[in-house]
Amino acid sequence: MIVIVTSHFPFGEGESFIAPELEHWQAGDDVVLLPEQRVTAEARPVPDAVRVDETLAYRWASRRWLAWSAARALTSPTLARELWRLARQRRLNPLRARIAVRTLAQVHLIARTLTDIARRDRARIDVVYGYWLSSGVMAGAMLARKERVGATLARAHGTDLWEPSRLGEYTPLIRQFAPWIRCVHAISDAGRQHLARYGFTEDQCRRSRLGVSIPGTTTPPTAPGEFHVVTLSSMTPFKRLDRAAEALARLHTLRPELKLRWTHIGDGPLRAEIEQHAQQLRAGGVRVDLPGAMPHEEALAFLAHTPIDVMLNTSDSEGIPVSLMEAMAHGIPAVAPDVGAVRELVPDATLLPAHTTGDTIGDFLAAHAEQCKNTQWRSQARQRIEEEFDANVNHARFVAHVRSIVADVRGRAL
């Protein structure tokens, strides 16, 4: 039995990489999806080899279970050790204390749910796989330490991994549970190196790229005299879409002859602010479209069938952005700042300095508008994805590794 703890997949629209990965499990595999939350009434379809268990999602929404898990956390030696470590480092404050309590409560709730699932199914859990380096994988580690599950492994992406970008600049508890996590698959080299700060050894850390499907066709650029910039992200502070708006304004000033268009796909708490930027750009003659959030397939259709010259990212913090992968797979050049692991994806020619200004981005686009349209830049973008970010290859390799851990666990049990 392999239990995959997710945030909410197969409910909702997020965690899009899980769906193609699941296709590589086969009949005879016993794979259980354990979402923490049920955010929509309907679930996305999953392969026959996979079943969905909603026990944790129901408990997550239960006041009784939340009270039980909070009581366990508050009386746990793990919490005392965590607070003592923070105090020794002079990092203990009310915010980090609350984060530690909340996270440990989640760990206890998930661990109890995993135990109950194993008892109900009368089966030992061979592997607990946390899709994020978060409470799910720490719950698996808690049980692995007690030899109640065979092994625990995790993926590590961006905000779940990068401590400086987390709330309170604090990743709770992971240092205590690291010795009982068999393997962590970071999606980037930079992420793999970052794991050392939590006490993971070299042998525990692997780089496992995610990836996207390679489309059969490429997206054309716009006609001469036009220029279409697309951004795709949530409207949140870290994404710095104000810089994108400033870049478009600067580009319009420098290249007034261009028929300029900006499309932003995504929604979020800063929508009103982005709408104000959009109104100012429209008043100057720039076409701005803000269609809001799109289902994944609809966004892919937009990338495939709309002439686009560049995919722009302006974030302060990233792992390896999915939006850039998808765009580059369609032959659309990606322009992005050198933050997180972006440099592992984006070519040097279109990599901007970290935390650069909107005016600097606009200057770059003005100087390279024609190159964004040419065949060389567009073919290089697609080739980068084909070589290292092909979902079919990368997911198959990851599933094979999980199967090897299952085989090892069962061999040791015998």
Side-chain angles (χ1 to χ4, degrees):
M1 183 190 293
I2 300 158
V3 179
I4 304 175
V5 183
T6 71
S7 177
H8 51 72
F9 186 92
F11 301 100
E13 293 294 336
E15 298 173 303
S16 59
F17 286 115
I18 299 179
E21 179 184 297
L22 293 179
E23 297 295 332
H24 292 275
W25 295 105
Q26 301 169 0
D29 294 323
D30 185 11
V31 180
V32 180
L33 279 176
L34 190 65
E36 294 173 351
Q37 302 176 69
R38 180 172 181 162
V39 296
T40 56
E42 297 296 323
R44 283 174 273 180
V46 298
D48 292 340
V50 179
R51 54 194 171 100
V52 180
D53 192 304
E54 299 181 39
T55 304
L56 179 58
Y58 287 124
R59 291 180 177 181
W60 205 273
S62 164
R63 291 184 178 181
R64 181 174 68 86
W65 277 106
L66 293 180
W68 175 88
S69 59
R72 291 297 302 270
L74 290 168
T75 57
S76 170
T78 302
L79 178 63
R81 288 192 294 268
E82 187 74 4
L83 298 181
W84 174 241
R85 183 185 68 82
L86 287 169
R88 285 201 328 265
Q89 297 174 344
R90 297 184 179 180
R91 299 187 70 222
L92 181 61
N93 60 29
L95 173 61
R96 293 186 181 122
R98 288 196 299 271
I99 293 171
V101 172
R102 183 176 67 243
T103 303
L104 187 55
Q106 294 169 355
V107 169
H108 277 288
L109 181 59
I110 298 169
R112 172 61 184 271
T113 303
L114 290 168
T115 301
D116 290 346
I117 288 172
R119 288 173 179 166
R120 182 198 66 201
D121 293 357
R122 297 181 180 180
R124 184 170 185 259
I125 297 175
D126 295 301
V127 169
V128 173
Y129 158 28
Y131 187 71
W132 304 93
L133 189 65
S134 58
S135 50
V137 70
M138 288 187 279
M142 176 182 284
L143 297 179
R145 180 176 59 186
K146 299 175 182 178
E147 299 185 349
R148 294 181 184 173
V149 303
T152 298
L153 62 94
R155 281 200 183 275
H157 302 256
T159 53
D160 57 329
L161 169 62
W162 297 96
E163 192 159 43
S165 67
R166 291 180 64 99
L167 181 64
E169 297 184 0
Y170 168 52
T171 301
L173 304 172
I174 193 64
R175 292 166 176 86
Q176 292 196 58
F177 289 109
W180 290 277
I181 299 173
R182 173 76 169 262
C183 188
V184 181
H185 292 249
I187 66 170
S188 66
D189 285 319
R192 181 175 55 80
Q193 294 164 10
H194 191 80
L195 287 167
R197 75 184 292 154
Y198 302 127
F200 288 103
T201 66
E202 189 71 21
D203 289 343
Q204 287 176 283
C205 304
R206 295 170 68 105
R207 188 200 72 187
S208 292
R209 298 283 196 209
L210 293 173
V212 295
S213 298
I214 311 296
T217 59
T218 57
T219 299
T222 58
E226 301 178 9
F227 197 73
H228 186 191
V229 178
V230 174
T231 51
L232 197 163
S233 72
S234 57
M235 293 179 175
T236 54
F238 272 127
K239 299 303 182 181
R240 291 306 305 266
L241 290 171
D242 57 313
R243 286 190 190 133
E246 291 165 4
L248 269 291
R250 176 72 169 176
L251 174 59
H252 186 51
T253 299
L254 295 174
R255 299 290 301 270
E257 79 282 4
L258 289 178
K259 186 178 180 181
L260 192 57
R261 177 184 177 188
W262 175 31
T263 301
H264 175 74
I265 301 170
D267 214 332
L270 298 186
R271 184 173 184 89
E273 177 184 321
I274 304 307
E275 288 277 10
Q276 289 181 348
H277 285 295
Q279 291 289 10
Q280 293 172 0
L281 288 167
R282 290 174 183 133
V286 178
R287 175 180 170 182
V288 182
D289 298 318
L290 303 175
M294 289 185 185
H296 185 237
E297 292 304 318
E298 187 176 333
L300 288 182
F302 178 86
L303 294 180
H305 302 302
T306 309
I308 298 169
D309 298 302
V310 65
M311 175 68 78
L312 177 64
N313 180 290
T314 53
S315 294
D316 274 337
S317 176
E318 285 287 1
I320 298 185
V322 183
S323 58
L324 300 190
M325 280 190 223
E326 298 282 15
M328 292 170 67
H330 284 82
I332 303 168
V335 173
D338 186 7
V339 296
V342 170
R343 65 166 44 249
E344 296 179 35
L345 173 66
V346 174
D348 289 343
T350 55
L351 189 68
L352 302 177
H355 316 302
T356 192
T357 65
D359 282 351
T360 301
I361 299 169
D363 291 345
F364 179 89
L365 294 176
H368 297 89
E370 283 68 37
Q371 284 171 288
C372 289
K373 293 173 177 283
N374 72 33
T375 302
Q376 182 181 0
W377 272 26
R378 299 178 81 86
S379 61
Q380 285 177 348
R382 181 178 170 96
Q383 183 179 359
R384 180 80 182 100
I385 301 302
E386 290 173 336
E387 289 175 351
E388 202 160 345
F389 296 93
D390 185 328
N392 191 53
V393 173
N394 292 346
H395 290 318
R397 186 180 294 130
F398 176 80
V399 168
H401 178 69
V402 179
R403 283 202 184 98
S404 72
I405 292 177
V406 172
D408 180 61
V409 165
R410 292 180 178 177
R412 292 186 182 190
L414 294 175

